[in-house]
Structures are given as C-alpha cells and as structure tokens.
Amino acid sequence: MRIGILQYRPRYLDREGNLDTVEGLLKSAPALDLLVLPELFASGYFFRRREDLERVAEPIPEGPTTEAVLRWARQLNAVIVAGLPERTGEHFYNSALIASPTGVVDVYRKAHLFYEEKRYFSPGPGPLRVYDLGRFRLGVMICYDWRFPECARTLALKGAEVIAHPSNLVRPEAQEAIRIRALENRLFIATANRWGEESNGKEVLRFTGHSQVVDPNGERILFTEPQATGLFCVDIDPALAREKRITAWNDLFLDRRPDLYEL
Ligand code: ACM
C-alpha cells in the first residue's frame, strides 16, 4: 500500500486559501491508499483569542474543511486523516477527521492537549479506536499524543498496523522519539507535520517540518526537509506490523507482563 504525507505552511485563519493550496498540492497525486494531513491543517494552530478559533472551528460533517477532505478522498480513492478544529454544541476539540471515499469513517478528538490548546479545546473523551480498512488497520494520534507511550501501545494492542499522526510539532526531539513508539510497538507511524511559524501576539511557535514515515523497526523510510512543501509518498507492507516476533524466543506482545504493570 502507498502512504502520502502532505507537508506545507498553512496561513493563520486563512481557511479558504489553505484549502486551495492543499487542493493544488494534491492535483498530481499518484495512486494512494492513505493520505495524512497535518494537525489543524487549514485553520492555523496558535490561537490568539477564542474568537479566532470560533471563526474557523466547524461542525463535522457539515463544515467546509470536512467537505473538502471528503471530496479529495473520493477523487483520490483513498482514506484521508486530516486535523481540524471541531465545534460541537458546547465544546471545541482538536480533532482528526478520518474520511474514506464513501464518507466519514470517524472523528478522533485529541486526548492529550499541548500548551495553550488547554485554553480553548476540551480533551477528547476517547476511546482510542482502530479501524479495519481492508488493506490495513489504522489507528490515529494527534501530535503531542506521541509523548504518551500508552497511546501508541493501546492502538497497537487493539491491532493497529499504521498510526496516522497529524502534527504541528515544535519540539526538536519529537521526530526521533516517535521512532521509538514505532519500534516498541512494531508498527508504522506516518507523521504529517507543518512548517512555518505563528505568534499568539506574545510568543512565537516554530513548527519543525520534517514529516516522516517510520517502519516497525523504528527506521525512517520517508523523511522530509524542514521547510519542504509537497506531497511525499512511500510504499509499505502493513503485514510487517502484524509480525510481533522479534527473536525465535521473543514475541513483543506475548512477552508482556501485564500482571506487573498493575498500579
Ligand atoms: C502539539 O501537540 N501540537 C505540539
């Protein structure tokens, strides 16, 4: 199967402009099974005030970002995982839409909120789900979720072979550490990260680019430049993530000792 990662520099609050940019970047896309877009890919990230978030947050599936992603999923005949600010009756969530050519598969709401996200968003209530999409079994994390080994572990134990990971990473250690999440769970992690910088008026955040796809051995099989813009693709065999045996004597999951992990 083929995974595509889209990396670019979104413009703060310019949802329509950003959707046009992504549409242009997808024009010459090759055949894909899974496309991952960054966290909050069309809205911007570092909100200056609640009203800014209110301007770009949208209900799912009615909003313009969802509409565009569903259209791209049909055009590309691919599953797309894309980050967007979701508005429900009472809450804002930092969400990832999981879209297939036939419609919305699900919405994952970020469980672990980073920094000033806590001012505006509610933490996702879970559960962490795995989707059997025929060719592969998909789990989803959003950016800072990587920092919690339990998150990737839970998805792995539920059968995920590929974790799609929409991101707006700012910490320099993240991409390296994410390789360990893949290694310790023997699965693929596809991180779509944005680049550029944003200010909340007091402080500037710089997004690190360097999107990557990591294999079940923790090796990078795709790694983009920090300020690259484009669609980057790699072929993978998800069956590699089904094999949890690491020596003739060891199986990563069967060797676990949950009896010792009880708190
Ligand atoms: C992050 O969670 N956007 C760093």
Side-chain angles (χ1 to χ4, degrees):
M1 63 173 278
R2 185 171 296 152
I3 298 179
I5 296 285
L6 188 129
Q7 175 173 304
Y8 83 121
R9 177 168 56 139
R11 308 284 172 175
Y12 185 68
L13 300 188
D14 182 12
R15 181 173 55 198
E16 276 60 44
N18 291 328
L19 291 175
D20 282 350
T21 301
V22 173
E23 179 129 343
L25 292 169
L26 293 177
K27 275 262 150 54
S28 50
L32 288 175
D33 296 286
L34 172 66
L35 169 65
V36 188
L37 304 182
E39 177 183 18
L40 302 177
F41 83 93
S43 60
Y45 173 82
F46 203 19
F47 291 104
R48 293 176 197 167
R49 52 189 82 81
R50 190 181 169 84
E51 298 77 60
D52 286 3
L53 174 59
E54 282 169 359
R55 253 177 70 186
V56 289
E58 55 186 66
I60 299 175
E62 292 84 12
T65 307
T66 305
E67 254 171 49
V69 172
L70 284 169
R71 187 173 70 250
W72 300 334
R74 282 194 302 275
Q75 285 165 355
L76 298 171
N77 195 29
V79 170
I80 302 182
V81 180
L84 77 164
E86 181 190 6
R87 173 163 52 80
T88 65
E90 295 158 52
H91 298 284
F92 294 104
Y93 294 103
N94 182 339
S95 294
L97 170 68
I98 302 138
S100 82
T102 53
V104 174
V105 175
D106 203 0
V107 178
Y108 167 66
R109 295 167 171 164
K110 187 176 187 177
H112 305 93
L113 297 176
F114 182 71
Y115 203 49
E116 291 196 359
E117 288 172 39
K118 294 191 180 193
R119 293 172 75 124
Y120 305 114
F121 292 108
S122 300
L128 299 167
R129 289 204 174 94
V130 171
Y131 310 96
D132 189 344
L133 299 172
R135 272 210 169 153
F136 64 106
R137 288 154 68 100
L138 174 76
V140 177
M141 306 192 294
I142 301 179
C143 205
Y144 179 60
D145 282 333
W146 76 264
R147 197 69 178 74
F148 300 84
E150 298 90 343
C151 197
R153 178 64 110 203
T154 301
L155 292 170
L157 290 173
K158 289 186 173 187
E161 294 154 2
V162 179
I163 294 179
H165 185 216
S167 293
N168 279 192
L169 294 165
V170 291
R171 302 279 315 169
E173 71 276 11
Q175 282 87 340
E176 196 64 27
I178 288 161
R179 297 174 63 180
I180 307 302
R181 294 290 97 78
L183 176 80
E184 66 199 2
N185 292 295
R186 279 203 55 79
L187 44 61
F188 293 89
I189 301 182
T191 299
N193 195 28
R194 64 163 287 178
W195 65 277
E197 50 182 62
E198 281 181 13
S199 168
N200 66 351
K202 301 186 282 295
E203 191 184 353
V204 173
L205 287 183
R206 291 188 180 80
F207 304 98
T208 55
H210 274 321
S211 296
Q212 63 183 16
V213 178
V214 182
D215 75 9
N217 293 320
E219 300 294 337
R220 288 189 177 114
I221 52 175
L222 184 153
F223 191 46
T224 69
E225 292 297 319
Q227 301 192 340
T229 288
L231 171 65
F232 303 89
C233 299
V234 65
D235 292 331
I236 68 149
D237 178 2
L240 292 178
R242 265 170 243 150
E243 177 57 86
K244 302 300 185 189
R245 223 167 9 186
I246 48 180
T247 77
W249 292 80
N250 295 101
D251 180 290
L252 195 58
F253 282 2
L254 297 178
D255 287 347
R256 294 177 67 246
R257 293 289 309 276
D259 56 315
L260 302 182
Y261 310 152
E262 288 288 322
L263 299 182

